[in-house]
């Protein structure tokens, strides 16, 4: 037996074995949908880099300006996604459709397509517990004048039932009867007074309830199916309190959250400017210098929202990380299988 084993230990075998054992840095390319997505996914994937692997986040094509979810997932016909190439995309509505459409199946069936588990990156950038800190970054004023968490909770509860009805239509291939832009018209608050948001929410709730009643009367075939749908959506993470995370991201970012965070930031800036004037007194030179310093230090609130990474305590972020970890486990398994095949091939060569 010892003689048989020693017969395998030739120079070629040892050289190949050393190559297998030698640590090399694996580069995994992560294709994303747009320029804004690069920083978002880099902030997530970088925590999984080490001496054995690195990620390169890029747009899908180096030969043209094609962008978007489909391009990211279908790069080179999609069959090249795997150990060294993944796609990182917005979940959009596809996650909640659970395979009801081709695009949903395409995203969910490929383990190398990592998605946001919220509608889009904008939704996570609008994660309610992070918005006060976004205001602080933009205005350098830490005073709390608006409860973003309570507002988005109340907002979500107001629009939840209509959102569920929209999902019922989507899952039954009736998208055209409630497209997202039409849904947005019903669920976007108007003229929100940040010192009394209840009035705007009451108006919104009234309009949504009227639309839900209309849906109930026009779609009697849905009777008995809405409650099970709510249970299935809850399984996916959707609750009456957090449905804002699953609405169309651009509308949420620009109109729902943007409609309150911009005026909040304006008030906080004015407060800080008043403080500067009060503390400077009659010293106009000091006041001008301090005001100039403050103006240079503050940032547009929308820029701070785009750079917001304080959603890392959200359940959806944990789902993303778990998905990335599954991808890395698959990659590790694939590498081990390849190594085993190479060793077997070397043994066969020596036997020959």
């Amino acid at each position: 037996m010892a003689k048989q084993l020693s017969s395998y230990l030739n120079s070629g075998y040892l050289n190949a074995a050393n190559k297998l054992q030698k640590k090399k840095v694996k580069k995994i390319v992560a294709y994303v949908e747009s320029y804004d997505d690069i920083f978002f996914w880099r902030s997530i994937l970088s925590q999984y880099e080490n001496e054995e692997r690195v990620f390169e986040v890029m747009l899908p094509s180096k030969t043209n300006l094609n962008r978007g979810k489909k391009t990211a997932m279908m790069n080179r016909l999609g069959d090249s996604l795997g150990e060294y190439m993944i796609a990182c995309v917005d979940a959009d509505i596809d996650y909640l459709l659970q395979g009801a459409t081709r695009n949903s199946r395409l995203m969910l069936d490929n383990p190398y397509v990592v998605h946001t588990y919220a509608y889009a990156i904008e939704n996570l950038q609008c994660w309610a517990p992070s918005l006060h800190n976004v205001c602080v970054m933009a205005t350098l004023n830490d005073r709390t004048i608006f409860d973003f968490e309570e507002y988005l909770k109340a907002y979500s509860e107001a629009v939840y039932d209509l959102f569920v009805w929209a999902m019922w239509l989507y899952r039954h291939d009736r998208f055209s009867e409630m497209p997202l832009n039409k849904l947005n018209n019903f669920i976007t608050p108007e003229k929100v007074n940040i010192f009394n948001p209840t009035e705007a929410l009451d108006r919104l709730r009234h309009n949504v309830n009227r639309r839900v009643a209309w849906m109930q009367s026009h779609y009697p075939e849905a009777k008995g199916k809405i409650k099970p749908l709510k249970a299935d959506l809850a399984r996916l993470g959707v609750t009456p309190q957090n449905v804002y995370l699953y609405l169309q991201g651009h509308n949420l970012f620009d109109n729902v959250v943007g409609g309150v965070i911009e005026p909040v930031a304006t008030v906080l800036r004015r407060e800080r400017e008043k403080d500067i004037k009060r503390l400077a007194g009659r010293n106009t030179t000091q006041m001008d210098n301090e005001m100039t310093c403050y103006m240079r230090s503050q940032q547009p609130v929308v820029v701070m929202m785009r750079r917001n990474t304080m959603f890392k305590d959200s359940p959806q972020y944990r789902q993303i990380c778990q998905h990335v970890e599954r991808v890395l486990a698959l990659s590790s398994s694939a590498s081990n299988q390849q190594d085993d095949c190479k060793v077997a091939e070397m043994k066969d060569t020596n036997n020959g």
Side-chain angles (χ1 to χ4, degrees):
M1 177 63 71
K3 185 176 181 180
Q4 290 176 336
L5 289 175
S6 64
S7 66
Y8 297 122
L9 298 177
N10 58 36
S11 177
Y13 178 85
L14 291 176
N15 182 42
N18 284 331
K19 287 183 178 179
L20 287 177
Q21 294 176 358
K22 184 179 180 180
K23 290 185 177 179
K24 295 183 178 180
V25 178
K26 176 195 291 187
K27 184 172 77 171
I28 302 174
V29 174
Y31 286 119
V32 299
E33 299 180 55
S34 68
Y35 299 112
D36 290 337
D37 296 0
I38 293 176
F39 172 70
F40 175 88
W41 287 104
R42 159 54 52 185
S43 69
I44 293 176
L45 296 175
S46 61
Q47 65 184 311
Y48 295 102
E49 293 184 324
N50 52 36
E51 66 278 1
E52 297 179 351
R53 83 172 72 90
V54 295
F55 290 91
E56 183 177 359
V57 183
M58 64 173 66
L59 295 178
S61 178
K62 291 184 177 180
T63 59
N64 57 56
L65 295 177
N66 291 340
R67 293 182 288 143
K69 182 177 182 177
K70 186 175 181 180
T71 304
M73 289 196 301
M74 295 298 290
N75 185 69
R76 298 177 189 171
L77 303 180
D79 53 6
S80 58
L81 295 180
E83 182 182 355
Y84 295 94
M85 188 180 298
I86 65 176
C88 298
V89 300
D90 289 338
D92 296 327
I93 214 70
D94 295 323
Y95 172 53
L96 301 184
L97 293 185
Q98 288 294 288
T101 64
R102 180 181 179 274
N103 284 342
S104 178
R105 292 190 296 273
L106 183 67
M107 187 185 81
L108 297 177
D109 291 348
N110 192 328
Y112 293 101
V113 176
V114 183
H115 62 86
T116 52
Y117 289 89
Y119 185 95
I121 67 172
E122 288 91 348
N123 301 69
L124 293 172
Q125 290 165 340
C126 291
W127 190 52
S130 71
L131 293 179
H132 173 71
N133 286 344
V134 170
C135 280
V136 174
M137 289 192 299
T139 67
L140 307 178
N141 187 343
D142 196 19
R143 197 166 84 85
T144 300
I145 63 171
F146 188 83
D147 191 334
F148 291 103
E149 294 186 57
E150 184 58 34
Y151 176 75
L152 285 175
K153 174 177 175 289
Y155 167 77
S156 293
E157 291 172 344
V159 305
Y160 173 74
D161 284 335
L162 187 56
F163 173 79
V164 174
W165 272 99
M167 290 305 99
W168 181 81
L169 290 173
Y170 271 68
R171 286 194 176 192
H172 289 80
D173 196 23
R174 301 169 76 165
F175 163 83
S176 61
E177 297 173 46
M178 179 70 83
L180 288 179
N181 60 342
K182 187 175 181 180
L183 176 63
N184 289 338
N185 291 337
F186 290 112
I187 64 174
T188 302
E190 296 181 356
K191 300 178 181 178
V192 181
N193 180 348
I194 62 171
F195 298 107
N196 184 19
T198 303
E199 291 183 358
L201 290 175
D202 285 344
R203 292 193 300 269
L204 176 69
R205 193 176 294 109
H206 174 73
N207 293 334
V208 166
N209 289 342
R210 287 178 57 188
R211 191 62 185 179
V212 168
W214 186 93
M215 300 285 285
Q216 290 170 338
S217 64
H218 282 74
Y219 298 102
E221 65 271 29
K223 186 176 181 180
K225 298 178 182 178
I226 296 299
K227 187 175 181 179
L229 176 56
K230 288 182 177 180
D232 190 52
L233 291 174
R235 175 183 65 84
L236 299 174
V238 184
T239 71
Q241 291 74 38
N242 74 354
V243 77
Y244 74 94
L245 291 170
Y246 303 92
L247 303 176
Q248 189 179 48
H250 292 305
N251 187 62
L252 177 79
F253 190 98
D254 295 336
N255 300 318
V256 179
V257 172
V260 292
I261 198 170
E262 286 283 4
V264 167
T266 298
V267 171
L268 291 175
R269 288 192 181 101
R270 288 174 180 171
E271 283 190 352
R272 178 63 67 220
E273 291 168 2
K274 288 180 181 179
D275 287 341
I276 292 172
K277 292 176 181 179
R278 177 179 57 84
L279 293 172
R282 296 184 179 181
N283 191 333
T284 55
T285 300
Q286 184 182 24
M287 184 187 72
D288 290 342
N289 290 340
E290 193 67 20
M291 195 70 75
T292 299
C293 180
Y294 176 61
M295 295 295 291
R296 289 176 176 174
S297 298
Q298 59 183 277
Q299 296 288 335
V301 68
V302 67
V303 173
M304 294 297 98
M305 288 176 67
R306 294 288 182 196
R307 296 177 183 174
N308 182 17
T309 60
M310 291 175 285
F311 48 77
K312 294 187 176 182
D313 288 330
S314 68
Q316 292 72 25
Y317 176 79
R318 290 193 291 272
Q319 287 178 288
I320 296 172
C321 290
Q322 289 166 2
H323 196 153
V324 173
E325 289 161 9
R326 290 196 298 271
V327 168
L328 295 178
L330 282 173
S331 297
S332 177
S333 176
S335 294
N336 291 336
Q337 290 177 2
Q338 290 176 3
D339 290 349
D340 291 342
C341 289
K342 288 180 181 178
V343 172
E345 290 174 359
M346 286 186 292
K347 289 183 178 181
D348 290 340
T349 300
N350 284 326
N351 283 334

